[in-house]
Amino acid sequence: MFQKLKGDLIIVGIIIVLAVVFFLINLIRDRQSSGEGNVLVVRDGRVVESYPLSEDITVTLWDEERTHYNLLMIKDGSAEISDANCPDKICVRSRAIARDGESIICLPHRLVLSVHSERERDMDAVTG
Ligand SMILES: [Zn+2]
């Protein structure tokens, strides 16, 4: 009876240790997924530029007629629109993006910024 209880406790202990290990692995993976990858600049549904999140830059994204601009700022692994001459300024007020799949949309300029991690890009390369 006592032996069996001891055995159960060991199993429970192992499960708790495994749960903690998996939790830590996920925590580390989450941290790594932020700040790596690229910001894709999509205009009218076409990818026109790509910038790595790892490099701090500020770049003005002009449309083809050079009448509409969005100022893209990448800093500390996240990207945001810090200025634009669109009427609604929703893109400027949008919060910074850093994780895979996050995006900022500027409807008046038909512009989308979205984050793609390296992992996602590898998958795209295989399928298409
Ligand atoms: Zn906008």
Side-chain angles (χ1 to χ4, degrees), residues 19-109:
V20 169
V21 168
F22 277 118
F23 176 76
L24 288 176
I25 288 171
N26 272 325
L27 208 71
I28 291 163
R29 199 181 290 159
D30 268 9
R31 197 171 299 166
Q32 281 176 342
S33 73
S34 158
E36 71 176 26
N38 296 288
V39 177
L40 299 186
V41 180
V42 180
R43 198 186 291 279
D44 289 330
R46 282 203 340 262
V47 177
V48 291
E49 280 302 343
S50 173
Y51 300 96
L53 273 175
S54 51
E55 284 172 39
D56 291 4
I57 56 155
T58 303
V59 60
T60 307
L61 306 169
W62 287 97
D63 69 346
E64 280 168 25
E65 292 86 34
R66 293 188 76 82
T67 50
H68 305 124
Y69 76 88
N70 296 72
L71 190 64
L72 166 66
M73 197 172 78
I74 298 176
K75 196 170 180 295
D76 300 329
S78 66
E80 63 179 24
I81 300 289
S82 55
D83 192 22
N85 64 348
C86 58
D88 61 14
K89 297 276 196 291
I90 287 172
C91 56
V92 180
R93 289 201 303 266
S94 297
R95 65 189 189 91
I97 53 172
R99 286 165 184 273
D100 186 43
E102 286 184 330
S103 58
I104 296 175
I105 298 164
C106 182
L107 270 183
H109 293 178

